[in-house]
């Protein structure tokens, strides 16, 4: 009686197929770890230089003949500016805000009181006076156009800011000491209450030069005792510092 070998070979073939299938199944079940892309941190809403502080040396321009300054005429200002970028890289912006200023001038344009209550203006010789100064306090409304090459991650960059500023003189005082009498004039009605000018700030990182030039006269319709018209304007030069 002959025994058929076909079932035996069929079983071996079946087991071989199952083994191969299980082998590939093991490899196919291995987990492939996803590639983690680095997260780039970008702030598309950052703003620059919104608080400022400046210190200046104050000069008078378009002065009448004989007018001179002595000592150090200092000025201080501080305030807030709302930075409003206008391009995608946020390197160009417009800013507007509110500030306060103090300006002091040592010079020989004297202001004294007349018996009738009026004011007399004169360009005096320094040998005839002991001291003379004028100071004023202002509320500033600046608006400026800004360029800088800043980035979100860098606080060191170049900047050029130019603007226009309107200021309101809410208090002023002049003090003249001629060695015999002291004249104090508060809130002089001949001072232009509204003053305006143009300014420029430029620099790198912390150090920035600052220039502000007054476009209208400090006084309105004032003539000295010698007949000279007083048409002086202010020029403030110094440093300005910005804080985020």
């Amino acid at each position: 009686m002959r025994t058929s070998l076909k079932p035996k070979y069929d079983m071996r073939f079946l087991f071989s197929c199952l083994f191969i299938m299980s082998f590939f199944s093991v490899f196919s079940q291995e987990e492939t770890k996803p590639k983690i892309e680095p997260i780039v941190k970008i702030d598309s809403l950052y703003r620059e230089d919104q608080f400022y502080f400046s210190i200046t040396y104050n000069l008078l321009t378009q002065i009448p003949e004989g007018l001179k300054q002595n000592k150090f005429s200092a000025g201080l200002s501080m305030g807030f500016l709302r930075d409003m970028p206008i391009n995608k890289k946020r390197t160009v912006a417009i800013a507007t805000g509110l500030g306060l200023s103090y300006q002091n001038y040592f010079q020989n344009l004297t202001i004294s009181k007349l018996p009738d209550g009026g004011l007399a203006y004169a360009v005096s010789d320094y040998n005839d006076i002991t001291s003379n100064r004028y100071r004023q306090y202002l509320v500033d409304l600046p608006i400026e156009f800004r360029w800088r090459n800043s980035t979100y991650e860098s606080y060191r960059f170049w900047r050029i800011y130019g603007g226009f500023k309107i200021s309101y003189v809410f208090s002023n005082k002049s003090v003249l000491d001629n060695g015999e009498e002291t004249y104090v004039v508060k809130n002089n009605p001949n001072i232009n209450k509204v003053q305006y000018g143009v300014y420029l700030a430029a620099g790198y990182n912390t150090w920035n030069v600052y220039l502000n030039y007054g476009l209208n006269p400090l006084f309105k319709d004032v003539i000295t005792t010698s007949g000279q018209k007083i048409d002086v304007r202010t020029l403030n030069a110094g440093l300005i510092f910005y804080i985020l």
Side-chain angles (χ1 to χ4, degrees):
M1 185 176 180
R2 297 176 58 184
T3 303
S4 174
L5 297 177
K6 186 176 180 181
K8 184 176 181 180
Y9 288 118
D10 289 342
M11 292 299 293
R12 287 181 180 178
F13 178 76
L14 179 61
F15 283 126
S16 299
C17 291
L18 291 174
F19 176 76
I20 293 172
M21 290 177 63
S22 62
F23 177 80
F24 283 107
S25 177
V26 170
F27 281 94
S28 65
Q29 290 178 3
E30 288 185 358
E31 294 185 0
T32 303
K33 294 183 179 180
K35 185 178 180 181
I36 300 176
E37 297 291 339
I39 299 175
V40 180
K41 195 173 183 180
I42 299 176
D43 186 352
S44 61
L45 300 177
Y46 81 93
R47 302 176 189 272
E48 295 287 0
D49 301 340
Q50 299 203 97
F51 293 91
Y52 68 90
F53 172 78
S54 71
I55 179 169
T56 59
Y57 175 64
N58 298 334
L59 297 166
L60 295 174
T61 65
Q62 300 190 28
I63 58 178
E65 184 180 354
L67 193 150
K68 298 178 182 179
Q69 291 184 247
N70 70 336
K71 300 182 180 179
F72 184 81
S73 300
L76 300 172
S77 66
M78 62 185 300
F80 172 81
L81 284 160
R82 178 64 171 176
D83 187 76
M84 296 174 285
I86 57 176
N87 68 333
K88 188 175 181 180
K89 291 183 178 180
R90 308 182 78 78
T91 54
V92 179
I94 295 173
T96 185
L98 181 68
L100 293 172
S101 293
Y102 162 79
Q103 295 175 351
N104 192 28
Y105 297 88
F106 290 96
Q107 27 70 41
N108 61 339
L109 176 63
T110 59
I111 306 174
S112 56
K113 292 182 179 179
L114 298 172
D116 61 359
L119 299 176
Y121 297 83
V123 178
S124 303
D125 192 300
Y126 270 114
N127 295 323
D128 298 331
I129 59 177
T130 302
S131 65
N132 182 65
R133 73 173 183 178
Y134 168 77
R135 63 188 179 195
Q136 60 183 12
Y137 302 87
L138 310 94
V139 175
D140 300 322
L141 298 172
I143 180 169
E144 64 186 36
F145 180 80
R146 297 176 154 194
W147 172 87
R148 64 278 178 120
N149 62 348
S150 64
T151 65
Y152 168 66
E153 297 176 338
S154 174
Y155 297 97
R156 296 175 180 270
F157 52 87
W158 290 96
R159 62 170 64 79
I160 300 175
Y161 298 165
F164 177 81
K165 180 168 63 176
I166 299 176
S167 301
Y168 177 77
V169 181
F170 64 89
S171 178
N172 66 79
K173 180 180 179 181
S174 63
V175 181
L176 165 63
D177 182 2
N178 61 11
E180 297 179 358
E181 192 172 357
T182 300
Y183 297 94
V184 178
V185 178
K186 294 182 179 180
N187 297 321
N188 188 334
N190 296 320
I191 295 292
N192 271 318
K193 290 284 189 179
V194 178
Q195 299 177 13
Y196 51 88
V198 292
Y199 64 90
L200 178 68
Y204 178 75
N205 194 22
T206 302
W207 300 97
N208 302 274
V209 296
Y210 175 76
L211 292 172
N212 180 82
Y213 179 71
L215 296 176
N216 66 326
L218 181 61
F219 298 90
K220 53 185 179 183
D221 301 326
V222 170
I223 298 176
T224 67
T225 53
S226 62
Q228 294 188 85
K229 184 178 180 180
I230 302 176
D231 196 33
V232 298
R233 288 162 167 75
T234 60
L235 175 63
N236 316 114
L239 296 173
I240 188 168
F241 306 92
Y242 292 100
I243 305 171
L244 290 179

